[in-house]
Amino acid sequence: MADALLTLEGVHTHIGRYHILQGVDIDVPKGTLTVLLGRNGAGKTTALRTIMGLWKPSRGRIIFDGTEIGGRSTPDIAREGIAYVPEGMGVFADLTVEENLILAARDGPIDTARLDWIFGFFPTMKRFYAHPAGVLSGGQKQMLSIARAIIEPRTLILVDEPAKGLAPSIVENLIRAFQELKRTGTTILLVEQNFRFASMLGDTVAVMDDGRIVHRGTMAALANDDAMRTRLLGLSLETH
Amino acid sequence: MTDASPPIPALEPIPRVKRDVLPLLLVPAIALAALPLIGSPTTWVTLTIAALAMGMMIFVISSGLTLVFGLMDVLNFGHGAFIAVGAYLALTVLAPLSGWMQADHLGLNLAALLVAVTAAMIGTGALGWAFERVIIKPVYGQHLKQILITTGGLIVAEQLIHVFWGGDQKAIALPKGLRGAIVVGDVALEKYRLLAVAVGLLVFAAMMLVLNRTRIGLLIRAGVENSEMVEALGYRIRRLFVGVFVAGSALAGLGGTMWALYRETLTASIGGEVIVLVFIVIIIGGLGSVGGCFLGSVLVAMLANYTGYIAPKIALASNILLMVAILMWRPQGLFPVARR
């Protein structure tokens, strides 16, 4: 297995009086797509938000590219080279698609070659480039949210349930986009409940339950072992 | 980077962009509805110009506050302090410039005002910075404490004004060149009101330019909508907020100076008196919306002026009624900002 780009060691997170993450250990190998699976309420989103600094870990270490980032501010963590695609997509509805991307390209003007590359796997985005993001459909917003995360090269991309509620044709688009990103060597940590989507993309997998990691391994091994998958994931995950 | 695979044909329709112009129609609707009630077209024009002038001053005062609320969810009841301090600073600066103020030269008159307004804005901007650091910063995310402590800040500021400038009412005269009116046909247009309209429009245009054409402006708009995501993109929202707070305080100082000159008198409670209108404006405009704030200011001022003439007894309540009516129609205000 490649060197870990991101490591969580015994990470605990409290939100108010709730103890959500209860000692999470994950390695995200460099240049791979790691899928974080688990039922609703297992703590997957909290794990991503804790990595991003949106919630502070109460205990444990988060090491990114050899640097401890646990407890640092969100902007500092983002500037280390981590991009975040939240579950709600987080697009700025009052801004146009172009303006959303301008803000995401914080190092300067948008690189037109990179934009064309993004248009390659999200061709419809070119047509609504000048539109306010608020008028877009869910799938179009998801495209924008991912485009915003990759408009400049980032070392690690955290993606929270990108396929949730989207039409199959849009999900196909997303699969192609992530496959393309993988080809560029980008490291991705993907939270997902759609097992088909996850299994088509994942290299490694971690399964969460009740705020802990209960399984780590390769996606191929999990996909090929029905009994283990049923035991770990139950019936709540979408397998179609 | 490698070449992407051939694209999947796009099946989704291009979204339609709808322009929401309905709230804008309220301005001509109220103006035209008032005309038969007022009776005299000349009086109607005079009242409308007065309303526009008042509206622009309220907008200048309110614009920063609406962004402060939108960006960091901060309820600043102490905004009135910047209005009052700005006006008193201008009064202080204008005292030694009385020669310029009384000169028969419009250029000198305006230069005196420019110096006073600049001093007021610098002073209230600095006060805003200190206010944010000392009073607002410890109570981020705690609305009740924000209301209590910023109201306390306003009271302290008013008492400090009594200490430094005295508790009596001050006269603040208009410069000679801005007194009186320009008569067009049968209509008398007060010069100072025309200047106030021009300044208000200039501030609005500058704000729209900054908000729509600069990266800082985009960040402010994005931050009003979803500050967490702005941080996740790598921007420090707190720094942005402090900048907006300082700019908003400086604009309140400018508005306070304009308001004091409009009334030609000044007391320490001037901020507290106008702050009710300011809150009505930012609520009916849509919290965090500069365009809504502009429209709300004009509507509030029009209604205040028209009802003040037609039915003075209901003038005080008219803006509350306007707010209730608008919130029943659009509970998030006229131009709500999309919030996560």
Side-chain angles (χ1 to χ4, degrees):
Chain A
M1 191 176 282
D3 291 341
L5 178 68
L6 177 76
T7 302
L8 273 68
E9 291 176 1
V11 172
H12 291 251
T13 300
H14 289 77
I15 300 172
R17 61 193 173 91
Y18 299 104
H19 190 178
I20 309 293
L21 299 189
Q22 302 179 18
V24 170
D25 299 290
I26 310 175
D27 284 324
V28 178
K30 199 174 276 183
T32 65
L33 192 149
T34 298
V35 180
L36 191 54
L37 288 169
R39 297 180 179 88
N40 274 336
K44 308 182 297 294
T45 294
T46 304
L48 289 198
R49 290 177 62 85
T50 303
I51 295 165
M52 206 59 216
L54 294 166
W55 282 323
K56 302 298 174 203
S58 43
R59 224 181 324 152
R61 281 158 41 94
I62 303 173
I63 297 151
F64 173 68
D65 212 7
T67 306
E68 165 82 57
I69 59 167
R72 286 173 64 181
S73 73
T74 300
D76 281 349
I77 291 169
R79 284 176 181 273
E80 287 288 334
I82 303 179
Y84 177 50
V85 180
E87 188 180 353
M89 298 171 241
V91 299
F92 303 120
D94 281 347
L95 272 58
T96 64
V97 170
E98 182 184 14
E99 288 170 340
N100 269 271
L101 294 176
I102 286 171
L103 287 189
R106 60 171 183 259
D107 294 334
I110 293 173
D111 177 347
T112 50
R114 194 164 177 93
L115 185 62
D116 286 341
W117 171 68
I118 292 169
F119 285 153
F121 45 82
F122 293 146
T124 48
M125 222 175 79
K126 196 180 256 182
R127 299 195 302 156
F128 52 76
Y129 192 59
H131 287 55
V135 304
L136 305 183
S137 68
Q140 290 164 342
K141 282 180 185 165
Q142 192 60 270
M143 291 177 199
L144 170 58
S145 189
I146 292 167
R148 205 171 52 179
I150 60 176
I151 191 69
E152 283 180 342
R154 301 281 180 245
T155 316
L156 172 67
I157 302 176
L158 309 176
V159 192
D160 197 351
E161 298 207 43
K164 191 176 182 180
L166 299 185
S169 63
I170 303 291
V171 174
E172 292 305 316
N173 258 18
L174 295 185
I175 289 171
R176 293 156 66 87
F178 284 116
Q179 285 170 339
E180 176 61 20
L181 274 175
K182 281 179 67 176
R183 274 198 288 274
T184 65
T186 307
T187 308
I188 301 168
L189 176 57
L190 174 72
V191 161
E192 191 49 68
Q193 289 212 57
N194 181 331
F195 189 75
R196 177 183 163 273
F197 181 81
S199 62
M200 288 179 75
L201 293 166
D203 300 305
T204 60
V205 63
V207 180
M208 279 191 85
D209 196 21
D210 284 340
R212 294 184 182 86
I213 299 295
V214 294
H215 170 82
R216 286 191 290 186
T218 64
M219 178 56 86
L222 184 63
N224 292 328
D225 189 337
D226 288 347
M228 181 163 68
R229 205 169 62 237
T230 305
R231 177 173 59 81
L232 289 170
L233 303 174
L235 299 174
S236 65
L237 292 181
E238 297 171 44
T239 53
H240 53 280
Chain B
M1 207 184 302
T2 62
D3 290 336
S5 310
I8 292 169
L11 298 174
E12 283 202 89
I14 300 175
R16 284 180 60 195
V17 182
K18 292 178 192 165
R19 298 267 174 230
D20 186 12
V21 294
L22 216 51
L24 298 175
L25 299 178
L26 285 174
V27 173
I30 291 177
L32 291 175
L35 181 55
L37 297 171
I38 292 166
S40 157
T42 307
T43 308
W44 178 81
V45 172
T46 304
L47 287 171
T48 304
I49 297 292
L52 289 176
M54 182 182 168
M56 292 304 106
M57 286 183 271
I58 296 172
F59 166 71
V60 170
I61 292 168
S62 318
S63 52
L65 189 62
T66 197
L67 286 177
V68 161
F69 184 86
L71 203 56
M72 293 298 279
D73 213 14
V74 166
L75 292 168
N76 179 19
F77 280 64
H79 198 65
F82 309 127
I83 300 168
V85 170
Y88 273 92
L89 284 173
L91 177 76
T92 306
V93 171
L94 285 175
L97 295 174
S98 59
W100 289 10
M101 291 284 278
Q102 303 309 321
D104 286 323
H105 190 285
L106 186 61
L108 278 178
N109 297 161
L110 292 175
L113 280 188
L114 187 65
V115 172
V117 157
T118 305
M121 291 181 76
I122 291 171
T124 50
L127 178 65
W129 179 81
F131 198 88
E132 196 280 336
R133 293 288 89 184
V134 176
I135 293 181
I136 304 280
K137 195 178 172 188
V139 292
Y140 273 128
Q142 303 171 74
H143 280 159
L144 182 60
K145 287 185 179 176
Q146 284 168 8
I147 292 169
L148 293 173
I149 200 165
T150 56
T151 305
L154 173 62
I155 293 166
V156 169
E158 286 183 1
Q159 294 309 309
L160 286 174
I161 286 172
H162 284 305
V163 171
F164 287 111
W165 281 283
D168 54 326
Q169 182 171 294
K170 307 285 183 193
I172 177 166
L174 281 172
K176 200 171 181 181
L178 292 175
R179 289 179 207 150
I182 300 167
V183 179
V184 181
D186 291 337
V187 180
L189 306 172
E190 282 192 31
K191 292 177 192 172
Y192 181 71
R193 288 175 180 173
L194 293 176
L195 177 70
V197 171
V199 171
L201 289 174
L202 200 67
V203 169
F204 179 62
M207 286 187 82
M208 295 315 279
L209 201 68
V210 169
L211 288 172
N212 292 299
R213 293 281 179 269
T214 67
R215 181 179 284 264
I216 288 282
L218 292 182
L219 277 172
I220 292 169
R221 286 168 58 205
V224 166
E225 201 179 311
N226 188 344
S227 58
E228 187 178 276
M229 198 62 222
V230 170
E231 292 214 296
L233 290 178
Y235 299 98
R236 290 176 178 82
I237 198 84
R238 288 274 172 99
R239 286 187 190 172
L240 188 65
F241 173 72
V242 173
V244 169
F245 198 93
V246 168
S249 307
L251 283 173
L254 166 63
T257 306
M258 292 168 69
W259 190 259
L261 284 163
Y262 182 64
R263 293 168 26 135
E264 299 194 63
T265 58
L266 181 53
T267 64
S269 60
I270 186 174
E273 289 161 13
V274 77
I275 203 73
V276 176
L277 287 180
V278 168
F279 273 102
I280 290 175
V281 159
I282 65 171
I283 289 168
I284 67 175
L287 297 166
S289 164
V290 171
C293 178
F294 184 80
L295 181 59
S297 301
V298 173
L299 291 175
V300 160
M302 284 173 81
L303 211 61
N305 278 270
Y306 292 150
T307 53
Y309 179 82
I310 299 164
K313 284 183 181 172
I314 64 159
L316 275 176
S318 64
N319 282 310
I320 302 288
L321 294 174
L322 174 73
M323 182 169 70
V324 170
I326 285 177
L327 293 183
M328 285 173 72
W329 175 39
R330 293 196 169 191
Q332 303 297 316
L334 294 170
F335 291 118
V337 175
R339 306 294 285 266
R340 69 189 163 82

